[in-house]
């Protein structure tokens, strides 16, 4: 299976030095090591709610 994937990447024209990076990313996805629950984006993208009495003054 791995050899087929490597051969497919080479046939697609992916440079040799990039292939181990892609393989590591695929392995991390398969092992769920990239599944992190964080709320960093929420903190940055969603401003905190302003109480109505503050908003109207």
């Amino acid at each position: 299976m791995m050899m087929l994937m490597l051969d497919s990447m080479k046939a697609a024209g992916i440079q040799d030095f990039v292939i181990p990076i892609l393989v590591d990313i695929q392995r991390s996805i398969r092992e769920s090591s990239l599944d992190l629950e964080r709320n960093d984006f929420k903190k940055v993208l969603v401003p905190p709610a302003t109480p109505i009495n503050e908003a109207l003054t």
Side-chain angles (χ1 to χ4, degrees), residues 15-56:
Q15 296 181 359
D16 287 342
F17 75 92
V18 178
I19 293 174
I21 298 168
L22 296 176
V23 170
D24 284 344
I25 291 170
Q26 290 173 344
R27 181 175 50 247
S28 294
I29 291 169
R30 185 173 51 253
E31 294 171 355
S32 299
S33 62
L34 299 177
D35 291 343
L36 300 175
E37 284 194 34
R38 302 193 57 169
N39 60 355
D40 295 347
F41 285 121
K42 186 176 180 182
K43 288 179 184 176
V44 174
L45 298 176
V46 180
T50 303
I52 191 81
N53 58 348
E54 275 185 43
L56 297 176

